[in-house]
Amino acid sequence: MSDEEFRINARGSDSYLKLIRNTFENFLNVDSINYDIELKNTLEEIGVVLEFDRIYIYYFSKDPTFMRIECQWNRDTVKPKREFQEEEVVYTLPWLTRQIKTSNFVVIDNIEELPTEAMFEAEVFKNEGIISALIIPLTYEENLIGYIGYESLSRAINWDDEQVEMLRKISKAFSYTRMRIGKEKSYESIIEGQSILLNNSQSQIWALSNVTSYATVNESHASFFGKNKSDLEYQDLYDIFDIDTANILSQNNWELFQKNEPAEKELEIKNSKGENRLLKIKSKPQKDETGNIKYLICTAEDITEQKRAEIELCKAKEEAEAANIAKSQFLANMSHEIRTPMNGIFGFLELLQSTNLSFEQKEYIRDAKSASEVLLHIINDILDFSKIEAKKLTMESIRFNLRTIIEDAVSLLVPRATEKGLELNVMIKSGVPEEVIGDPSRLRQVLTNLISNAVKFTESGEISIIADHLEEDNEVAVLRFEVRDTGIGIHKEDIENIFKSFSQADASTTRKYGGTGLGLAISSELVKMMGGDISVESTFGEGSIFKFNIRLKIAKRASEQNFMFEKLDDMNILVVDDSENNRAVVKSYLKEVGLKVFEAKDAGNGVTTIISNANTQNKISIAIIDYEMPGISGYELATTLKNIPIAKDIKLILLTSSAQREYGRNAKQYGFSSYLTKPIRRDDLLNCIAVALGLKKDDEEDGVAEKHLIEEIHDPIKPRILLVEDNEVNRKIFISMLKSHNMTCDVSIDGSQALKAVSEKDYDIVFMDCQMPVMDGYESTARIRRLESNKKNTKIIAVTANAMEGDSTKCIDAGMDDYISKPIDFEIVFKMIEECIKNKKPEIDYFNFIESNIDNFVDTTGLEREDAREIFEDYIRCLPDLFGGIEDAIECKNFEKLAKVIHELKGSSGTLRITSIHELSIKLEEKAKEQKLDECIELFTQIKGLFH
Ligand code: ADP
């Protein structure tokens, strides 16, 4: 029923109800504050006019099994219905409750007439003294919400229909008004809540009706300017603020209105205290139906402090970065400072070792050297770790040969593995790219760390290194490396921790094996930087498998087939080795190029395989034989095979470990055509096979084994070396080390001296320190390169302290060919020297030769020294021709010519009293006549050696 309908109904009632109607109209319009009083008044009005004794209204509680009297009226002569208005259980009056739920009203003219099922009600009513009653349910939107009771305690009432109907209608006013008031109350509380929120918000909120006028504002915005809400609302900016503030605000508002869409802006403005504050304003236009902006709603946060903090933070960050740069610079310097004296320690120990020492002294030196190595390793680890911490470690992008890096890492650890009697195998699977772009030294570092751990923690068995190509994505290869060992293994519970810094499997391990616990942490970071991850599988007591993946850009793919071996699919190769892994490596490399491989695990099996396949298409052409096998050794097997007619033509290749190198050198006597040292490098293996099969001429004439033999008696060639080094100790060590290998060098103490030296003399190799006074190594190299232009390229090797990332790139950029780091590993130095003079023709040092022989000639002949010198010079001028003639004759095995040329040499050297050459020539002539080539070569080599 609507408000209006209700008023009409009330108006249309009997005249004696006019009074009620008046009262009622008041009640219908009552507000929430006066509701309780008006309700009571209304009940009283009804009660008095209609002569009731009591009227009460029950409303059900939220839990509808309870109810509570909300209002009650009673004549002064009777007791109130309830002394306390509290919750009551609905079902104490079950009959009445049922009636209320199902009927529009319940009429009780006289309680004596109540039906028998209303026994509880009869009892209660009687106790309360009720004689007659009318109970009308109160509903709202068809829901029962309570009931109203009209009672007489003095008389029985004969309720007529009209009266009941009228009271029913009136009753509706109660429920209607109650619900209205309830809604209003909750609405008020919402409004109140919102204004509480708006006015208590820390954020400033305001609405503008145009560029210069406020519509409404919250407390926060008003108080920012030290004003009240009412000072601002519906006011013009220019009426509220001083001209400057009004100008700033209107300019800001104008810009926001212009945007015509949600916008954000920072505004600096003075607050009530005259402080400049920075506000971050967000605005949103509220538009009318025509699309015009009705209000611009703005919110603002004071971000002054936040901005200040940001600036502070930025400053702090810059300072921290500066400190970091200083730290890494410090690291660089420290690295340099530490490595330089380390160089001294290493060098002098090395030199000391080559002097005459007692056994005990040698032992001490060995211990000192190994302690220095450990120290250097620790220093390197700590420096790397600090660089990682300072995020200063970067990866280089250099093109490099993957196989070489892996094999280099392995060969570095061969001596230690050999010492412990461990086998090291390398297997680089097909598909692994030849060349990649990445950081070769960091990859080598990870591999070295894993392999050295494997060697360290393994007492017996073998260590395998496997490289595989997993997948490829857009010219980037995902490569998997595995380092397997048969060592002590790692407890499951320790596995999680070993990649963390300073962490070792357990304390006892530390005591037994030493180490910093940084290696794996560094490796793990390096692998991450190479786009991969590292993990380990291990069984305690059985061994470990460390695996890591990295992503490297492919520069040159794996060559499909080695063209040399293309047509050799009928060639069968036998590998005899007790190590299954080793056999697998050989097999894999040979299968890659299409050769057929048979395996035998010992000499007996080898012989059986050879004999059983002798007259078949599987006939063995080459046997690769391990030197050390249980039972019969490689030598013995070779001897046996050479005595079996069907096996004697099989080409034999010996496999030795590096500790057994001398067995390799003697292998030729046992019928081997060449030997290889383990771990086997694929290219060496293929080269050996190619030479054995006659597919390729070896660099040296008689195969690999011979290569080593010949090397030892080769003409010593004097390399021209320049050392550029400012540090005296380092110079001393370098020179002494060269001396110990019968070499000398020129010395420059800074870059500018080096420049001068190179312009005056033709050097084979220059070792250039990088940091020097006057002119550093980089600049000196760059200038040397400019000086050379296109004519020549002197080999320049940078000697770096290897302190900072990017050092190597800097060297290469400056025009250096390669670099070595301090402390200098002289093995590398000698390899570099050897490499650079490999193709150099031996040069005869005539001057020294004359000086050391002329005295004898002068003494015996009595000639003047000057005259004697002239004769010597004539002799020397003829020598190249003579030597050339001997070389040709040896090459063509023309012994007749050989004897003739030597005869000439014998004569002239005899005349000049050069006894050494004379005696050797006599022997050589004899051997030439006997046609003994090998002896001839050896004697001739000795003659040439006299000139150096
Ligand atoms: P370090 O070897 O210098 O202590 P690492 O970080 O290289 O530090 O190795 C951490 C620890 O992990 C080692 O101390 C050792 O307990 C364990 N560990 C590493 N590699 C192996 C391995 N191949 N076999 C058994 N334990 C290993």
Side-chain angles (χ1 to χ4, degrees):
M1 184 187 274
S2 75
D3 207 349
E4 195 50 29
E5 233 181 311
F6 194 83
R7 285 164 210 267
I8 293 163
N9 282 338
R11 255 182 245 131
S13 306
D14 287 326
S15 55
Y16 73 93
L17 284 177
K18 272 182 191 152
L19 177 66
I20 300 173
R21 189 185 68 198
N22 288 343
T23 318
F24 221 54
E25 285 211 329
N26 285 343
F27 181 63
L28 277 176
N29 290 324
V30 74
D31 61 23
S32 62
I33 298 163
N34 296 308
Y35 171 76
D36 291 332
I37 297 170
E38 280 304 320
L39 181 59
K40 189 140 189 176
N41 288 345
T42 307
L43 294 190
E44 183 174 5
E45 204 76 44
I46 298 171
V48 171
V49 172
L50 297 183
E51 295 178 352
F52 295 136
D53 290 322
R54 284 199 302 222
I55 306 176
Y56 59 88
I57 299 179
Y58 269 109
Y59 281 112
F60 295 124
S61 306
K62 258 194 188 143
D63 174 353
T65 55
F66 289 93
M67 58 186 186
R68 184 172 170 275
I69 284 191
E70 184 162 290
C71 190
Q72 56 179 345
W73 164 84
N74 51 279
R75 276 181 195 284
D76 295 343
T77 50
V78 298
K79 277 204 315 192
K81 173 90 173 162
R82 291 285 180 265
E83 289 295 340
F84 304 103
Q85 288 174 223
E86 56 190 10
E87 294 231 296
E88 297 170 38
V89 177
V90 170
Y91 290 100
T92 45
L93 302 171
W95 173 80
L96 183 64
T97 309
R98 271 200 310 277
Q99 296 302 309
I100 288 166
K101 280 186 176 166
T102 52
S103 321
N104 289 334
F105 54 88
V106 182
V107 172
I108 303 163
D109 291 345
N110 193 330
I111 62 156
E112 302 299 332
E113 293 161 17
L114 275 172
T116 44
E117 67 259 39
M119 53 196 191
F120 290 109
E121 285 77 3
E123 173 88 16
V124 171
F125 285 5
K126 202 165 166 191
N127 285 345
E128 287 187 19
I130 300 167
I131 294 174
S132 190
L134 170 66
I135 295 126
I136 296 171
L138 297 175
T139 58
Y140 185 78
E141 289 176 350
E142 294 179 9
N143 291 323
L144 182 69
I145 58 172
Y147 58 88
I148 182 165
Y150 302 93
E151 290 177 348
S152 170
L153 277 66
S154 49
R155 61 191 170 104
I157 300 177
N158 217 354
W159 299 95
D160 66 43
D161 288 351
E162 195 186 349
Q163 198 181 9
V164 169
E165 193 51 28
M166 191 213 38
L167 282 170
R168 268 192 67 213
K169 282 178 181 161
I170 288 172
S171 306
K172 283 186 180 158
F174 297 125
S175 52
Y176 167 81
T177 306
R178 183 180 195 263
M179 293 316 275
R180 176 177 66 78
I181 294 289
K183 273 187 187 164
E184 276 175 16
K185 272 190 180 158
S186 74
Y187 184 65
E188 270 166 20
S189 81
I190 289 170
I191 296 279
E192 195 182 351
Q194 282 180 348
S195 71
I196 288 171
L197 284 180
L198 286 177
N199 287 323
N200 289 291
S201 159
Q202 288 289 315
S203 308
Q204 301 181 32
I205 305 170
W206 67 96
L208 296 164
S209 45
N210 61 50
V211 171
T212 61
S213 307
Y214 279 114
T216 182
V217 304
N218 74 345
E219 293 283 5
S220 178
H221 187 58
S223 68
F224 178 82
F225 294 109
K227 313 249 180 217
N228 293 321
K229 259 160 74 75
S230 54
D231 298 336
L232 268 59
E233 280 177 334
Y234 305 108
Q235 302 299 313
D236 194 279
L237 298 178
Y238 287 88
D239 294 335
I240 316 166
F241 301 114
D242 62 74
I243 180 86
D244 291 339
T245 310
N247 274 343
I248 294 173
L249 287 174
S250 60
Q251 168 70 24
N252 174 66
N253 295 349
W254 187 79
E255 285 172 24
L256 294 174
F257 266 92
Q258 282 298 98
K259 291 249 160 74
N260 202 20
E261 58 183 25
E264 232 179 89
K265 203 168 174 297
E266 285 182 8
L267 175 75
E268 194 176 72
I269 192 147
K270 281 197 168 48
N271 66 6
S272 57
K273 295 179 198 151
E275 300 163 343
N276 268 338
R277 309 294 296 181
L278 189 67
L279 300 184
K280 183 174 190 163
I281 302 176
K282 287 184 183 169
S283 70
K284 191 175 176 197
Q286 204 182 50
K287 298 183 182 176
D288 62 18
E289 314 78 54
T290 54
N292 291 324
I293 299 180
K294 202 167 152 197
Y295 298 112
L296 190 73
I297 317 290
C298 301
T299 58
E301 303 291 338
D302 188 333
I303 56 165
T304 319
E305 311 307 335
Q306 183 189 330
K307 239 335 186 269
R308 229 172 256 162
E310 265 171 32
I311 293 168
E312 295 281 303
L313 198 72
C314 206
K315 230 170 87 190
K317 194 173 155 244
E318 274 166 17
E319 278 168 12
E321 273 168 2
N324 227 351
I325 290 168
K327 186 174 155 193
S328 64
Q329 199 55 48
F330 168 73
L331 282 178
N333 292 341
M334 188 169 98
S335 162
H336 187 253
E337 292 307 316
I338 296 173
R339 281 160 198 258
T340 306
M342 286 298 286
N343 198 29
I345 296 171
F346 272 108
F348 282 119
L349 285 175
E350 194 102 346
L351 286 173
L352 202 56
Q353 209 168 25
S354 56
T355 59
N356 258 343
L357 296 172
S358 70
F359 178 75
E360 206 178 11
Q361 285 167 324
K362 275 188 183 153
E363 282 276 286
Y364 291 158
I365 289 178
R366 219 185 50 211
D367 290 348
K369 263 181 84 178
S370 96
S372 318
E373 264 159 30
V374 171
L375 178 61
L376 184 67
H377 185 80
I378 294 171
I379 292 167
N380 284 344
D381 270 4
I382 292 173
L383 286 174
D384 270 347
F385 185 71
S386 322
K387 281 191 211 169
I388 289 171
E389 285 278 274
K391 305 246 176 304
K392 278 282 163 196
L393 196 121
T394 52
M395 288 281 150
E396 311 235 32
S397 265
I398 302 172
R399 185 177 172 136
F400 66 95
N401 185 303
L402 199 52
R403 188 173 284 276
T404 312
I405 288 298
I406 302 168
E407 289 174 341
D408 280 358
V410 176
S411 28
L412 207 66
L413 290 148
V414 166
R416 229 187 296 160
T418 314
E419 228 170 74
K420 291 181 88 174
L422 302 171
E423 285 238 345
L424 265 180
N425 303 311
V426 187
M427 165 101 80
I428 300 168
K429 296 210 175 164
S430 58
V432 171
E434 276 305 289
E435 288 180 17
V436 288
I437 294 171
D439 194 326
S441 54
R442 292 302 178 186
L443 173 59
R444 189 173 32 216
Q445 184 177 352
V446 176
L447 284 169
T448 312
N449 178 242
L450 297 185
I451 305 168
S452 77
N453 274 348
V455 174
K456 177 156 103 178
F457 296 108
T458 305
E459 296 311 326
S460 63
E462 53 186 28
I463 291 154
S464 306
I465 297 96
I466 301 159
D468 201 357
H469 173 259
L470 289 189
E471 56 182 50
E472 204 176 302
D473 174 22
N474 207 9
E475 293 298 301
V476 172
V478 180
L479 301 171
R480 148 81 61 90
F481 294 84
E482 276 183 31
V483 177
R484 297 165 169 261
D485 66 53
T486 52
I488 60 169
I490 306 163
H491 279 298
K492 232 190 192 131
E493 59 272 22
D494 293 326
I495 283 184
E496 258 177 48
N497 292 323
I498 57 167
F499 293 105
K500 292 180 187 155
S501 38
F502 305 108
S503 148
Q504 294 169 324
D506 62 32
S508 67
T509 310
T510 316
R511 274 199 299 277
K512 186 167 175 201
Y513 294 100
T516 55
L518 282 177
L520 287 178
I522 294 169
S523 296
S524 157
E525 280 304 316
L526 294 179
V527 167
K528 264 190 227 152
M529 289 175 83
M530 289 189 265
D533 48 58
I534 190 165
S535 62
V536 62
E537 285 166 22
S538 186
T539 311
F540 189 68
E542 285 182 21
S544 314
I545 307 172
F546 281 82
K547 297 179 184 178
F548 69 93
N549 291 352
I550 51 168
R551 303 169 70 82
L552 289 172
K553 203 163 166 26
I554 301 168
K556 188 175 167 208
R557 288 175 187 287
S559 43
E560 281 286 292
Q561 273 253 330
N562 193 317
F563 68 93
M564 279 194 292
F565 296 92
E566 257 168 20
K567 295 195 194 77
L568 288 181
D569 36 8
D570 56 337
M571 279 297 168
N572 303 306
I573 299 190
L574 172 71
V575 42
V576 193
D577 195 327
D578 55 317
S579 157
E580 195 182 331
N581 278 327
N582 237 336
R583 292 200 305 269
V585 172
V586 174
K587 190 170 174 179
S588 133
Y589 289 163
L590 296 183
K591 273 178 75 182
E592 263 177 45
V593 294
L595 295 169
K596 196 140 103 201
V597 183
F598 290 80
E599 291 178 53
K601 66 175 184 347
D602 55 29
N605 269 312
V607 174
T608 318
T609 312
I610 289 171
I611 294 175
S612 60
N613 289 307
N615 292 319
T616 70
Q617 58 176 8
N618 291 337
K619 183 171 174 281
I620 304 293
S621 311
I622 294 181
I624 299 169
I625 299 168
D626 186 29
Y627 172 76
E628 193 174 29
M629 289 183 289
I632 302 178
S633 77
Y635 276 181
E636 286 167 302
L637 175 58
T639 316
T640 313
L641 291 176
K642 289 294 166 198
N643 286 320
I644 303 173
I646 47 169
K648 75 173 190 336
D649 292 330
I650 294 177
K651 301 268 183 202
L652 305 179
I653 296 171
L654 183 71
L655 282 183
T656 68
S657 71
S658 62
Q660 304 155 344
R661 211 181 270 269
E662 73 274 18
Y663 295 119
R665 293 194 187 117
N666 296 328
K668 211 177 167 206
Q669 305 165 217
Y670 293 88
F672 286 96
S673 48
S674 52
Y675 76 91
L676 285 169
T677 39
K678 289 189 273 189
I680 300 161
R681 293 180 181 231
R682 187 194 62 171
D683 293 348
D684 286 350
L685 175 69
L686 295 183
N687 203 37
C688 248
I689 303 264
V691 173
L693 291 176
L695 296 171
K696 186 175 177 248
K697 260 192 118 202
D698 191 16
D699 303 340
E700 304 299 330
E701 261 159 26
D702 289 311
V704 178
E706 195 66 356
K707 176 174 155 192
H708 294 278
L709 291 169
I710 286 174
E711 246 170 23
E712 280 150 25
I713 55 161
H714 236 318
D715 301 332
I717 295 166
K718 288 268 180 315
R720 282 178 305 239
I721 303 168
L722 174 66
L723 170 69
V724 192
E725 168 66 81
D726 62 318
N727 183 299
E728 202 188 330
V729 175
N730 286 348
R731 280 201 304 267
K732 214 163 148 191
I733 291 166
F734 202 98
I735 295 166
S736 310
M737 284 306 292
L738 290 184
K739 209 168 144 205
S740 71
H741 280 63
N742 276 329
M743 293 182 207
T744 56
C745 67
D746 294 346
V747 171
S748 299
I749 59 165
D750 63 45
S752 72
Q753 276 198 10
L755 187 63
K756 190 160 170 278
V758 171
S759 64
E760 287 169 0
K761 190 169 166 185
D762 215 3
Y763 288 101
D764 295 313
I765 191 161
V766 177
F767 289 93
M768 176 84 80
D769 188 21
C770 290
Q771 295 179 9
M772 285 177 296
V774 186
M775 186 190 286
D776 67 20
Y778 306 112
E779 194 183 338
S780 177
T781 307
R783 290 205 190 189
I784 291 173
R785 292 300 181 224
R786 253 179 275 148
L787 194 78
E788 291 176 334
S789 62
N790 297 331
K791 279 181 269 144
K792 193 183 153 277
N793 198 11
T794 312
K795 192 152 200 113
I796 302 179
I797 311 291
V799 183
T800 76
N802 201 17
M804 291 297 285
E805 74 270 2
D807 258 7
S808 47
T809 327
K810 211 166 150 192
C811 298
I812 306 294
D813 287 350
M816 302 188 188
D817 297 283
D818 209 339
Y819 60 92
I820 48 172
S821 55
K822 289 179 187 169
I824 298 171
D825 180 341
F826 279 93
E827 221 171 281
I828 300 177
V829 168
F830 290 121
K831 259 197 200 138
M832 284 175 162
I833 297 173
E834 193 182 317
E835 186 65 25
C836 115
I837 56 169
K838 205 166 66 183
N839 298 321
K840 206 178 157 193
K841 280 262 169 245
E843 208 174 77
I844 297 177
D845 189 351
Y846 297 116
F847 178 77
N848 272 340
F849 178 78
I850 295 174
E851 289 307 304
S852 51
N853 286 287
I854 198 166
D855 289 347
N856 190 26
F857 186 53
V858 170
D859 290 350
T860 48
T861 59
L863 275 173
E864 281 296 314
R865 203 173 175 82
E866 275 316 297
D867 296 338
R869 180 179 292 279
E870 247 174 60
I871 299 169
F872 258 80
E873 280 173 2
D874 280 346
Y875 167 78
I876 274 164
R877 261 194 291 278
C878 298
L879 274 183
D881 278 352
L882 277 175
F883 282 7
I886 296 172
E887 263 162 19
D888 285 351
I890 288 180
E891 199 167 327
C892 315
K893 301 195 177 83
N894 185 342
F895 293 102
E896 203 180 313
K897 185 183 165 198
L898 183 62
K900 216 171 123 205
V901 190
I902 293 169
H903 187 77
E904 232 176 278
L905 180 68
K906 185 182 77 180
S908 50
S909 51
T911 314
L912 296 183
R913 311 284 191 277
I914 310 170
T915 343
S916 51
I917 297 184
H918 185 68
E919 280 170 8
L920 285 169
S921 305
I922 296 170
K923 283 188 198 158
L924 185 52
E925 193 182 3
E926 257 170 42
K927 296 294 166 195
K929 283 180 187 157
E930 289 167 20
Q931 306 207 345
K932 294 212 164 131
L933 187 64
D934 284 356
E935 276 97 332
C936 288
I937 295 173
E938 196 168 334
L939 286 165
F940 180 49
T941 312
Q942 285 182 31
I943 293 177
K944 283 194 287 178
L946 296 171
F947 288 88
H948 299 290

